[in-house]
Amino acid sequence: MRKYFITGLLVLVPLAITAWVLSLIISTLDQSLMFVPAAWQPRQFIGMDVPGIGAVLTLAIVFITGLLTNNLVGKYIVRVGERLLKRVPVVSSLYGSVKQVSDTLFSSSGNAFRQAVLIPYPHADSYTIAFLTGVPGGDVTNHLVGDFVSVYVPTTPNPTSGFFLMMERSRVKELDMTVDAALKYIVSMGVVAPSHVPLGAANPAAVK
């Protein structure tokens, strides 16, 4: 019975977690329906709420926004809007910080999270996987002697939280591992070990 119970858990737990995550994402995206007038809500037409309609609406808004701003007129409107936001005292600093981070993370020309590395952490006798994010900048460079790089150390099993460290480049070892494989390794707490595949073969674009 113990064998059958564990086998059942191995089948149902991943399905349950997947369903829970998808439900959380869809319910969050469905919040966009709050901005739709009550007369246009789905319940007015079919008499009930339909899960996922808000998610589709959110994705459509994101796509249309990208489509409209990917031309000269759209880029001009965005620049004008950003200038107006920068004149608002509190909003300017908040928007500027978020904009800088999002541009770094999501820009196709950025270098954030493009390389998985191995670093000694939290002490010299243990190691963890981190992601190379760049090099220190600003006044920080005036207080660091040597060649340093910036790395992000994600926590397990939630990689969206973690620690930002600046370490000597000589202590950071680049891994022959894709970022996706490294994230799976971290989230699974080391259970899903990546196979040893040359980075160039696994992700040809990474070496270009």
PDB file of all heavy atoms in Angstrom, residues 2 8 11 16 24 27 29-30 39 42 44 53 55 65 94 103 106 111 127 135 144 150 205-206 208:
ATOM      1  N   ARG A   2       1.967   1.191   0.715  1.00  0.00           N
ATOM      2  CA  ARG A   2       2.864   2.349   0.760  1.00  0.00           C
ATOM      3  C   ARG A   2       3.406   2.645  -0.632  1.00  0.00           C
ATOM      4  O   ARG A   2       3.503   3.813  -1.044  1.00  0.00           O
ATOM      5  CB  ARG A   2       4.007   2.073   1.733  1.00  0.00           C
ATOM      6  CG  ARG A   2       5.015   3.212   1.844  1.00  0.00           C
ATOM      7  CD  ARG A   2       6.034   2.896   2.930  1.00  0.00           C
ATOM      8  NE  ARG A   2       7.042   3.941   3.021  1.00  0.00           N
ATOM      9  CZ  ARG A   2       8.165   3.963   2.318  1.00  0.00           C
ATOM     10  NH1 ARG A   2       8.417   2.968   1.451  1.00  0.00           N
ATOM     11  NH2 ARG A   2       9.027   4.944   2.449  1.00  0.00           N
ATOM     12  N   GLY A   8       0.980   7.198  -6.381  1.00  0.00           N
ATOM     13  CA  GLY A   8      -0.114   8.144  -6.588  1.00  0.00           C
ATOM     14  C   GLY A   8       0.302   9.574  -6.331  1.00  0.00           C
ATOM     15  O   GLY A   8      -0.079  10.494  -7.059  1.00  0.00           O
ATOM     16  N   VAL A  11       2.253  11.066  -9.128  1.00  0.00           N
ATOM     17  CA  VAL A  11       1.431  11.422 -10.287  1.00  0.00           C
ATOM     18  C   VAL A  11       0.602  12.676 -10.001  1.00  0.00           C
ATOM     19  O   VAL A  11       0.508  13.585 -10.824  1.00  0.00           O
ATOM     20  CB  VAL A  11       0.508  10.248 -10.676  1.00  0.00           C
ATOM     21  CG1 VAL A  11      -0.471  10.680 -11.767  1.00  0.00           C
ATOM     22  CG2 VAL A  11       1.339   9.065 -11.151  1.00  0.00           C
ATOM     23  N   ALA A  16      -1.320  18.733  -9.313  1.00  0.00           N
ATOM     24  CA  ALA A  16      -1.977  19.670  -8.401  1.00  0.00           C
ATOM     25  C   ALA A  16      -1.221  20.990  -8.329  1.00  0.00           C
ATOM     26  O   ALA A  16      -1.821  22.069  -8.347  1.00  0.00           O
ATOM     27  CB  ALA A  16      -2.086  19.046  -7.004  1.00  0.00           C
ATOM     28  N   LEU A  24      -3.515  30.467 -10.086  1.00  0.00           N
ATOM     29  CA  LEU A  24      -3.040  31.719  -9.491  1.00  0.00           C
ATOM     30  C   LEU A  24      -2.730  32.748 -10.575  1.00  0.00           C
ATOM     31  O   LEU A  24      -3.096  33.922 -10.459  1.00  0.00           O
ATOM     32  CB  LEU A  24      -1.798  31.448  -8.640  1.00  0.00           C
ATOM     33  CG  LEU A  24      -1.166  32.662  -7.944  1.00  0.00           C
ATOM     34  CD1 LEU A  24      -2.164  33.262  -6.953  1.00  0.00           C
ATOM     35  CD2 LEU A  24       0.123  32.260  -7.239  1.00  0.00           C
ATOM     36  N   SER A  27      -6.090  33.859 -12.277  1.00  0.00           N
ATOM     37  CA  SER A  27      -6.894  34.725 -11.393  1.00  0.00           C
ATOM     38  C   SER A  27      -6.263  36.102 -11.255  1.00  0.00           C
ATOM     39  O   SER A  27      -6.973  37.113 -11.145  1.00  0.00           O
ATOM     40  CB  SER A  27      -7.046  34.072 -10.018  1.00  0.00           C
ATOM     41  OG  SER A  27      -5.785  33.900  -9.392  1.00  0.00           O
ATOM     42  N   LEU A  29      -4.347  37.599 -13.624  1.00  0.00           N
ATOM     43  CA  LEU A  29      -4.560  38.292 -14.893  1.00  0.00           C
ATOM     44  C   LEU A  29      -6.027  38.691 -15.074  1.00  0.00           C
ATOM     45  O   LEU A  29      -6.324  39.687 -15.743  1.00  0.00           O
ATOM     46  CB  LEU A  29      -4.113  37.403 -16.060  1.00  0.00           C
ATOM     47  CG  LEU A  29      -2.615  37.095 -16.149  1.00  0.00           C
ATOM     48  CD1 LEU A  29      -2.326  36.167 -17.317  1.00  0.00           C
ATOM     49  CD2 LEU A  29      -1.803  38.379 -16.282  1.00  0.00           C
ATOM     50  N   ASP A  30      -6.927  37.927 -14.473  1.00  0.00           N
ATOM     51  CA  ASP A  30      -8.354  38.241 -14.588  1.00  0.00           C
ATOM     52  C   ASP A  30      -8.713  39.559 -13.902  1.00  0.00           C
ATOM     53  O   ASP A  30      -9.808  40.094 -14.116  1.00  0.00           O
ATOM     54  CB  ASP A  30      -9.201  37.112 -13.984  1.00  0.00           C
ATOM     55  CG  ASP A  30      -9.459  35.993 -14.986  1.00  0.00           C
ATOM     56  OD1 ASP A  30      -9.246  36.220 -16.188  1.00  0.00           O
ATOM     57  OD2 ASP A  30      -9.863  34.896 -14.562  1.00  0.00           O
ATOM     58  N   ALA A  39     -21.251  47.088 -17.856  1.00  0.00           N
ATOM     59  CA  ALA A  39     -22.148  46.694 -18.948  1.00  0.00           C
ATOM     60  C   ALA A  39     -21.467  45.774 -19.944  1.00  0.00           C
ATOM     61  O   ALA A  39     -22.143  45.074 -20.711  1.00  0.00           O
ATOM     62  CB  ALA A  39     -22.675  47.941 -19.662  1.00  0.00           C
ATOM     63  N   PRO A  42     -18.510  39.890 -18.899  1.00  0.00           N
ATOM     64  CA  PRO A  42     -19.054  38.634 -19.452  1.00  0.00           C
ATOM     65  C   PRO A  42     -20.350  38.196 -18.788  1.00  0.00           C
ATOM     66  O   PRO A  42     -21.225  37.618 -19.439  1.00  0.00           O
ATOM     67  CB  PRO A  42     -17.931  37.632 -19.210  1.00  0.00           C
ATOM     68  CG  PRO A  42     -16.688  38.463 -19.123  1.00  0.00           C
ATOM     69  CD  PRO A  42     -17.102  39.750 -18.509  1.00  0.00           C
ATOM     70  N   GLN A  44     -22.807  39.852 -17.953  1.00  0.00           N
ATOM     71  CA  GLN A  44     -23.964  40.546 -18.500  1.00  0.00           C
ATOM     72  C   GLN A  44     -24.490  39.848 -19.751  1.00  0.00           C
ATOM     73  O   GLN A  44     -25.651  40.011 -20.118  1.00  0.00           O
ATOM     74  CB  GLN A  44     -23.599  41.996 -18.831  1.00  0.00           C
ATOM     75  CG  GLN A  44     -23.136  42.816 -17.643  1.00  0.00           C
ATOM     76  CD  GLN A  44     -24.227  42.985 -16.603  1.00  0.00           C
ATOM     77  OE1 GLN A  44     -25.414  43.052 -16.925  1.00  0.00           O
ATOM     78  NE2 GLN A  44     -23.835  43.053 -15.336  1.00  0.00           N
ATOM     79  N   ILE A  53     -11.078  34.926 -19.122  1.00  0.00           N
ATOM     80  CA  ILE A  53     -11.387  36.026 -20.032  1.00  0.00           C
ATOM     81  C   ILE A  53     -10.468  37.218 -19.748  1.00  0.00           C
ATOM     82  O   ILE A  53      -9.936  37.863 -20.663  1.00  0.00           O
ATOM     83  CB  ILE A  53     -12.862  36.456 -19.895  1.00  0.00           C
ATOM     84  CG1 ILE A  53     -13.784  35.325 -20.348  1.00  0.00           C
ATOM     85  CG2 ILE A  53     -13.134  37.714 -20.716  1.00  0.00           C
ATOM     86  CD1 ILE A  53     -13.661  34.995 -21.816  1.00  0.00           C
ATOM     87  N   ALA A  55      -7.514  37.058 -18.448  1.00  0.00           N
ATOM     88  CA  ALA A  55      -6.156  36.696 -18.860  1.00  0.00           C
ATOM     89  C   ALA A  55      -5.972  36.947 -20.350  1.00  0.00           C
ATOM     90  O   ALA A  55      -4.949  37.491 -20.787  1.00  0.00           O
ATOM     91  CB  ALA A  55      -5.868  35.243 -18.516  1.00  0.00           C
ATOM     92  N   THR A  65      -0.240  46.840 -27.155  1.00  0.00           N
ATOM     93  CA  THR A  65       0.660  47.911 -26.714  1.00  0.00           C
ATOM     94  C   THR A  65       2.010  47.796 -27.385  1.00  0.00           C
ATOM     95  O   THR A  65       2.578  48.790 -27.868  1.00  0.00           O
ATOM     96  CB  THR A  65       0.830  47.862 -25.184  1.00  0.00           C
ATOM     97  OG1 THR A  65      -0.440  48.002 -24.555  1.00  0.00           O
ATOM     98  CG2 THR A  65       1.757  48.968 -24.708  1.00  0.00           C
ATOM     99  N   LEU A  94      10.078  56.041  -8.635  1.00  0.00           N
ATOM    100  CA  LEU A  94       9.571  54.668  -8.665  1.00  0.00           C
ATOM    101  C   LEU A  94       9.531  54.134 -10.093  1.00  0.00           C
ATOM    102  O   LEU A  94      10.030  53.039 -10.369  1.00  0.00           O
ATOM    103  CB  LEU A  94       8.175  54.619  -8.040  1.00  0.00           C
ATOM    104  CG  LEU A  94       7.480  53.254  -8.036  1.00  0.00           C
ATOM    105  CD1 LEU A  94       8.304  52.257  -7.231  1.00  0.00           C
ATOM    106  CD2 LEU A  94       6.077  53.378  -7.461  1.00  0.00           C
ATOM    107  N   ASP A 103      13.883  46.965 -18.287  1.00  0.00           N
ATOM    108  CA  ASP A 103      14.652  47.047 -19.531  1.00  0.00           C
ATOM    109  C   ASP A 103      15.838  46.100 -19.504  1.00  0.00           C
ATOM    110  O   ASP A 103      16.190  45.484 -20.515  1.00  0.00           O
ATOM    111  CB  ASP A 103      15.143  48.483 -19.756  1.00  0.00           C
ATOM    112  CG  ASP A 103      14.023  49.416 -20.191  1.00  0.00           C
ATOM    113  OD1 ASP A 103      12.950  48.910 -20.547  1.00  0.00           O
ATOM    114  OD2 ASP A 103      14.228  50.643 -20.156  1.00  0.00           O
ATOM    115  N   PHE A 106      14.241  42.228 -19.545  1.00  0.00           N
ATOM    116  CA  PHE A 106      13.444  41.762 -20.670  1.00  0.00           C
ATOM    117  C   PHE A 106      13.948  42.211 -22.032  1.00  0.00           C
ATOM    118  O   PHE A 106      13.466  41.731 -23.054  1.00  0.00           O
ATOM    119  CB  PHE A 106      11.989  42.228 -20.508  1.00  0.00           C
ATOM    120  CG  PHE A 106      11.345  41.722 -19.252  1.00  0.00           C
ATOM    121  CD1 PHE A 106      10.926  42.609 -18.271  1.00  0.00           C
ATOM    122  CD2 PHE A 106      11.173  40.368 -19.036  1.00  0.00           C
ATOM    123  CE1 PHE A 106      10.332  42.149 -17.111  1.00  0.00           C
ATOM    124  CE2 PHE A 106      10.579  39.897 -17.878  1.00  0.00           C
ATOM    125  CZ  PHE A 106      10.157  40.790 -16.914  1.00  0.00           C
ATOM    126  N   ASN A 111      22.102  41.684 -20.968  1.00  0.00           N
ATOM    127  CA  ASN A 111      22.951  40.547 -20.606  1.00  0.00           C
ATOM    128  C   ASN A 111      22.555  39.924 -19.280  1.00  0.00           C
ATOM    129  O   ASN A 111      23.279  39.084 -18.754  1.00  0.00           O
ATOM    130  CB  ASN A 111      24.418  41.000 -20.533  1.00  0.00           C
ATOM    131  CG  ASN A 111      24.958  41.419 -21.881  1.00  0.00           C
ATOM    132  OD1 ASN A 111      24.687  40.773 -22.879  1.00  0.00           O
ATOM    133  ND2 ASN A 111      25.701  42.508 -21.918  1.00  0.00           N
ATOM    134  N   TYR A 127      29.160  25.662  -2.099  1.00  0.00           N
ATOM    135  CA  TYR A 127      28.966  26.345  -3.385  1.00  0.00           C
ATOM    136  C   TYR A 127      27.495  26.364  -3.757  1.00  0.00           C
ATOM    137  O   TYR A 127      26.707  25.516  -3.313  1.00  0.00           O
ATOM    138  CB  TYR A 127      29.763  25.626  -4.490  1.00  0.00           C
ATOM    139  CG  TYR A 127      31.250  25.720  -4.308  1.00  0.00           C
ATOM    140  CD1 TYR A 127      31.926  24.822  -3.479  1.00  0.00           C
ATOM    141  CD2 TYR A 127      31.981  26.717  -4.944  1.00  0.00           C
ATOM    142  CE1 TYR A 127      33.289  24.913  -3.292  1.00  0.00           C
ATOM    143  CE2 TYR A 127      33.354  26.809  -4.776  1.00  0.00           C
ATOM    144  CZ  TYR A 127      34.002  25.907  -3.947  1.00  0.00           C
ATOM    145  OH  TYR A 127      35.356  26.013  -3.764  1.00  0.00           O
ATOM    146  N   VAL A 135      28.461  44.063 -14.029  1.00  0.00           N
ATOM    147  CA  VAL A 135      29.603  44.498 -13.235  1.00  0.00           C
ATOM    148  C   VAL A 135      29.159  45.635 -12.321  1.00  0.00           C
ATOM    149  O   VAL A 135      28.203  46.355 -12.642  1.00  0.00           O
ATOM    150  CB  VAL A 135      30.775  44.968 -14.138  1.00  0.00           C
ATOM    151  CG1 VAL A 135      31.324  43.801 -14.953  1.00  0.00           C
ATOM    152  CG2 VAL A 135      30.334  46.097 -15.058  1.00  0.00           C
ATOM    153  N   LEU A 144      36.054  49.174  -4.450  1.00  0.00           N
ATOM    154  CA  LEU A 144      36.417  47.791  -4.727  1.00  0.00           C
ATOM    155  C   LEU A 144      37.765  47.753  -5.433  1.00  0.00           C
ATOM    156  O   LEU A 144      37.968  48.441  -6.431  1.00  0.00           O
ATOM    157  CB  LEU A 144      35.355  47.118  -5.616  1.00  0.00           C
ATOM    158  CG  LEU A 144      33.947  46.984  -5.018  1.00  0.00           C
ATOM    159  CD1 LEU A 144      32.998  46.398  -6.049  1.00  0.00           C
ATOM    160  CD2 LEU A 144      33.959  46.133  -3.756  1.00  0.00           C
ATOM    161  N   SER A 150      28.959  41.283 -10.817  1.00  0.00           N
ATOM    162  CA  SER A 150      27.725  41.242 -10.039  1.00  0.00           C
ATOM    163  C   SER A 150      26.996  39.937 -10.337  1.00  0.00           C
ATOM    164  O   SER A 150      26.878  39.541 -11.493  1.00  0.00           O
ATOM    165  CB  SER A 150      26.828  42.423 -10.398  1.00  0.00           C
ATOM    166  OG  SER A 150      27.492  43.650 -10.170  1.00  0.00           O
ATOM    167  N   ALA A 205      22.307  30.073 -29.649  1.00  0.00           N
ATOM    168  CA  ALA A 205      22.258  31.540 -29.656  1.00  0.00           C
ATOM    169  C   ALA A 205      23.113  32.153 -28.568  1.00  0.00           C
ATOM    170  O   ALA A 205      23.525  33.301 -28.642  1.00  0.00           O
ATOM    171  CB  ALA A 205      20.798  32.022 -29.499  1.00  0.00           C
ATOM    172  N   ALA A 206      23.408  31.354 -27.528  1.00  0.00           N
ATOM    173  CA  ALA A 206      24.160  31.905 -26.394  1.00  0.00           C
ATOM    174  C   ALA A 206      25.601  32.183 -26.735  1.00  0.00           C
ATOM    175  O   ALA A 206      26.267  32.979 -26.072  1.00  0.00           O
ATOM    176  CB  ALA A 206      24.095  30.935 -25.201  1.00  0.00           C
ATOM    177  N   LYS A 208      26.645  33.289 -29.726  1.00  0.00           N
ATOM    178  CA  LYS A 208      26.750  34.261 -30.803  1.00  0.00           C
ATOM    179  C   LYS A 208      26.978  35.647 -30.233  1.00  0.00           C
ATOM    180  O   LYS A 208      26.470  35.950 -29.169  1.00  0.00           O
ATOM    181  CB  LYS A 208      25.485  34.233 -31.669  1.00  0.00           C
ATOM    182  CG  LYS A 208      25.315  32.924 -32.420  1.00  0.00           C
ATOM    183  CD  LYS A 208      24.094  32.977 -33.311  1.00  0.00           C
ATOM    184  CE  LYS A 208      23.923  31.689 -34.096  1.00  0.00           C
ATOM    185  NZ  LYS A 208      22.730  31.702 -34.941  1.00  0.00           N
TER     186      LYS A 208
END
